Structure formats: structure tokens, C-alpha cells
């Protein structure tokens, strides 16, 4: 248990600082965004598990040879008033910190979900007043707005894609199809769930710079994934032109007055910006996506993708093994 707690602490530090920084600066995620997305999720899960596990294992070390035995002893102390003399001050402090951090992460996740759902409900009520059917399909609405705007509002069976009449007037039929395919890809691939999880992680640990890097990277990766879906049926030139047109509207709204939701977890702003906000961020995002389309790089070799996936499994298995079978360390 002693060595397991320190190894978990080291793993938590590595996953909270150098690994996310290196991954956010790497160029290969643009070549295989799905693989990179899995790696970001593994880093977040393994990092949180290691952070909580290090404190939990250290706190239980005096009362058990493994996690299960330690938890049983702790339950006896809490429920049956068993003696607590085996636990020193720092052990009690570590257990309290592990419990508080776990509660904080879970509470923040639920609170973020509640806020997002409330904002989406209000936005859906607003659309019921201001939007009208597009004529494309039942899940597409049109709002009266001069600037090119496109985003999707997740909601299960009530999910909708919202377009502005300014966008529809500016795009050719093929470009409009690319926009709709892109937005529908966000919905079908459940990108809003990823955005929710990483937004909650950032809300829970705002003092950790890597939570910002992770959220920004995930936002960018989901745009790449949606672009790749659109490219299955539409040409690169068509998609690039659609991105450029919508980005021009985003730049024009930099001073305010944009009617889109401000949070990407509320409504996924597909062809406008990975960040979901107007102005320079949207232009930078559009520029990076256009650059990716103009200078395409080959997908990572299958062997490399397999190695990354194996690394994801290892990242999740290592802290789990240290928690469940710390006796293996002697």
C-alpha cells in the first residue's frame, strides 16, 4: 500500500502536467482525431483515478494490506465505532481530501449537466418563438439573421440544427449540404457528451492549466471528426468554402450581437468555431481547419494507432491495478 500510494501520486502528476501539455502541442492528433480523442479521455480518467487513489491508498495504509481490507476497516471505524488510533493525522487528512475531491468532481459534473440542460431548454423555448422550419427536414430550423450562423442543439429526439437565413443565402446547395452533414455528425456522434465531461473537469479544477488545454483540444478534435464525415460525400473545396463563409460572419460578430449560444456544451457550433464563441477564436479555429484540409496529412499507420490505443488501455489499467492489487509491489 505504501509504494502504491506514491506511484499513484507520481502518475497523477505526470498525467496532470507534462503529458497533456505535450499532447496539446503535438501535430499527429489532426491526422487521427478519433485516436487522439480516446487518448484525451484515458488521460482524464486515469489522472482523476490516480489523484484520488493516491490519497485513498495512503490514508488506508495503516489499517489494511490492500484497498478492500482498508475500506472494510474504515467502514468499521465509521459505522461501528471501531478504534481509530491506527490512523495518524496525515492519514485522516488524506482520506478526507480523497472524499472531498471525489464529492467535488461528482457534484461539479452533475451541476454542469444541470446548467447545460437549463440553458438548452431556455434556448429551445426561444427557438420556438423565433425560428421556422427550413424545408430541408423536420430537425432543421431557420432563424432570421443576416450573418452566416450554423449550430446544433442536442436534445435526444428533440435535437435540432439551426441555420440563419443569411447562411442559406450565402451558400450553394452543395455547401449547405456540407453544413448539415457536419452538424448532424455532431449529434449522431454525441459530441455534446464529451464537451460536457471536459467542461465539468475544467470547472472542477480551474487552477490546473491542463484542464483548459484538454477542453480546447477536445473542442478542436470534434470539429475535425465532423469535417471528416462531411468529406465522405462532399468535396474539400465545398467544405473549405463553407467554413470560410461562416468564419467571415463570425469575424463580423466579434463586437457582439451574435445570437448563438455562448457555450459549446450548450450548442455545438459546427462550421463556425470549435470554441463556440465569436471573434478571433472562431477565425483561428477556422484557419486551422482550412489548413488541415488544404494540406492533408496521411492518417497515422494502423500500427501507431494500435499502439496509442494500447497506451490508453494501459493508462486505465495501471492505476486500477495499483488500487486493487497493491500487494503485487511487495
Amino acid at each position: 500500500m505504501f509504494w502504491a500510494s506514491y506511484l499513484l501520486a507520481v502518475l497523477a502528476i505526470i498525467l496532470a502536467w507534462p503529458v497533456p501539455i505535450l499532447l496539446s502541442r503535438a501535430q499527429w492528433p489532426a491526422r487521427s482525431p478519433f485516436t487522439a480523442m480516446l487518448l484525451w479521455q484515458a488521460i482524464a480518467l486515469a489522472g482523476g483515478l490516480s489523484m484520488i487513489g493516491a490519497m485513498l491508498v495512503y490514508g488506508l495504509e495503516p489499517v489494511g494490506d490492500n484497498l478492500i481490507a482498508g475500506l472494510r476497516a474504515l467502514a468499521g471505524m465509521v459505522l461501528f465505532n471501531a478504534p481509530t488510533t491506527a490512523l495518524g493525522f496525515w492519514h485522516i487528512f488524506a482520506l478526507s481530501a480523497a472524499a472531498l475531491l471525489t464529492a467535488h468532481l461528482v457534484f461539479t459534473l452533475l451541476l454542469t449537466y444541470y446548467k447545460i440542460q437549463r440553458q438548452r431548454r431556455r434556448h429551445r423555448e426561444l427557438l420556438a418563438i423565433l425560428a421556422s422550419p427550413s424545408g430541408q427536414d423536420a430537425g432543421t430550423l431557420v432563424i432570421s439573421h443576416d450573418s452566416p450562423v450554423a449550430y446544433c442543439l442536442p436534445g435526444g429526439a428533440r435535437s435540432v440544427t439551426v441555420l440563419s437565413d443569411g447562411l442559406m443565402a450565402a451558400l450553394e446547395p452543395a455547401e449547405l449540404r456540407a453544413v448539415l452533414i457536419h452538424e448532424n455528425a455532431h449529434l449522431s456522434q454525441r459530441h455534446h457528451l464529451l464537451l460536457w465531461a471536459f467542461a465539468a473537469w475544467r470547472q472542477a479544477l480551474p487552477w490546473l492549466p491542463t484542464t483548459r488545454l484538454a477542453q480546447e483540444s477536445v473542442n478542436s478534435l470534434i470539429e475535425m471528426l465532423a469535417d471528416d464525415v462531411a468529406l465522405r460525400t462532399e468535396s474539400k473545396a465545398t467544405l473549405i468554402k463553407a467554413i470560410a463563409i461562416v468564419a467571415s460572419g463570425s469575424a463580423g460578430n466579434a463586437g457582439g450581437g451574435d445570437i448563438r449560444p455562448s457555450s459549446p456544451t450548450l450548442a455545438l457550433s459546427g462550421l463556425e468555431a470549435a470554441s463556440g464563441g465569436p471573434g478571433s477564436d472562431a477565425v483561428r479555429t477556422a484557419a486551422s481547419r482550412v489548413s488541415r484540409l488544404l494540406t492533408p496529412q496521411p492518417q497515422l499507420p494502423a500500427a501507431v494507432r494500435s499502439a496509442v490505443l494500447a497506451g490508453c488501455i494501459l493508462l486505465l489499467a495501471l492505476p486500477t491495478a495499483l488500487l486493487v492489487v497493491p500487494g503485487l509491489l511487495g
Side-chain angles (χ1 to χ4, degrees), residues 26 40 45 90 94 104-105 110 150 161 196 211 222 239 258 270 277 299:
W40 273 115
L45 290 172
W90 290 111
H104 176 60
L105 290 174
L110 295 177
T161 296
W196 161 47
T211 60
I222 66 170
L239 183 57
D258 191 11
Q299 189 179 38

Side-chain angles (χ1 to χ4, degrees), residues 89-101:
F89 170 80
W90 290 111
H91 297 104
I92 295 176
F93 178 84
L95 289 173
S96 300
L100 288 173
L101 180 58

Side-chain angles (χ1 to χ4, degrees), residues 2 37 44 51 66 90 129-131 152 184 192 206 244 259 282 316 325:
F2 176 81
M37 183 76 74
M51 191 183 304
N66 54 64
W90 290 111
I129 300 172
L130 300 178
C152 56
N184 288 333
H192 56 284
I259 48 78
L316 295 174
V325 286

Side-chain angles (χ1 to χ4, degrees), residues 116-193:
I116 291 170
Q117 290 299 104
R118 184 181 59 182
Q119 291 172 343
R120 284 177 182 162
R121 183 172 59 254
R122 291 177 178 175
H123 192 77
R124 194 170 283 109
E125 292 171 354
L126 188 62
L127 288 175
I129 300 172
L130 300 178
S132 58
S134 68
Q136 301 286 333
D137 58 72
T140 304
L141 301 176
V142 178
I143 53 177
S144 179
H145 200 275
D146 293 337
S147 295
V149 173
Y151 63 88
C152 56
L153 189 65
R158 298 180 299 167
S159 298
V160 294
T161 296
V162 182
L163 309 174
S164 68
D165 49 14
L167 176 73
M168 297 183 70
L171 297 182
E172 299 293 333
E175 297 156 3
L176 183 59
R177 285 197 305 270
V179 171
L180 292 174
I181 294 171
H182 180 107
E183 299 303 332
N184 288 333
H186 282 316
L187 296 173
S188 63
Q189 296 182 9
R190 304 293 191 273
H191 290 161
H192 56 284
L193 298 179

Side-chain angles (χ1 to χ4, degrees), residues 20-255:
I21 290 177
L22 291 174
L23 182 56
S24 67
R25 295 175 179 175
Q27 300 298 318
W28 69 263
R31 298 173 58 186
S32 294
F34 179 76
T35 304
M37 183 76 74
L38 292 178
L39 183 56
W40 273 115
Q41 294 177 70
I43 290 171
L45 290 172
L49 186 61
S50 299
M51 191 183 304
I52 295 171
M55 294 182 287
L56 184 63
V57 170
Y58 175 80
L60 295 174
E61 188 267 334
V63 295
D65 295 330
N66 54 64
L67 182 64
I68 302 301
L71 288 174
R72 287 176 177 171
L74 182 63
M77 296 176 188
V78 174
L79 300 176
F80 306 109
N81 296 319
T84 60
T85 53
L87 296 176
F89 170 80
W90 290 111
H91 297 104
I92 295 176
F93 178 84
L95 289 173
S96 300
L100 288 173
L101 180 58
T102 301
H104 176 60
L105 290 174
V106 173
F107 176 77
T108 304
L109 185 68
L110 295 177
L111 181 61
T112 303
Y113 178 80
Y114 169 75
K115 289 181 177 179
I116 291 170
Q117 290 299 104
R118 184 181 59 182
Q119 291 172 343
R120 284 177 182 162
R121 183 172 59 254
R122 291 177 178 175
H123 192 77
R124 194 170 283 109
E125 292 171 354
L126 188 62
L127 288 175
I129 300 172
L130 300 178
S132 58
S134 68
Q136 301 286 333
D137 58 72
T140 304
L141 301 176
V142 178
I143 53 177
S144 179
H145 200 275
D146 293 337
S147 295
V149 173
Y151 63 88
C152 56
L153 189 65
R158 298 180 299 167
S159 298
V160 294
T161 296
V162 182
L163 309 174
S164 68
D165 49 14
L167 176 73
M168 297 183 70
L171 297 182
E172 299 293 333
E175 297 156 3
L176 183 59
R177 285 197 305 270
V179 171
L180 292 174
I181 294 171
H182 180 107
E183 299 303 332
N184 288 333
H186 282 316
L187 296 173
S188 63
Q189 296 182 9
R190 304 293 191 273
H191 290 161
H192 56 284
L193 298 179
L194 289 170
L195 292 175
W196 161 47
F198 282 91
W201 188 29
R202 184 175 180 180
Q203 288 290 325
L205 304 173
W207 45 268
L208 193 63
T210 49
T211 60
R212 175 184 58 83
L213 294 175
Q215 187 182 28
E216 291 175 352
S217 296
V218 168
N219 289 348
S220 179
L221 288 171
I222 66 170
E223 295 303 322
M224 296 179 188
L225 288 170
D227 283 344
D228 290 344
V229 173
L231 287 175
R232 294 174 187 171
T233 55
E234 305 300 330
S235 68
K236 289 181 182 178
T238 297
L239 183 57
I240 289 172
K241 186 177 178 183
I243 293 173
I245 289 174
V246 182
S248 66
S250 177
N253 279 325

Side-chain angles (χ1 to χ4, degrees), residues 304-329:
V304 177
R305 297 198 305 273
S306 299
V308 175
L309 293 178
C312 293
I313 296 173
L314 181 62
L315 277 178
L316 295 174
L318 182 56
T320 302
L322 290 173
L323 283 169
V324 177
V325 286
L328 292 177
L329 299 172

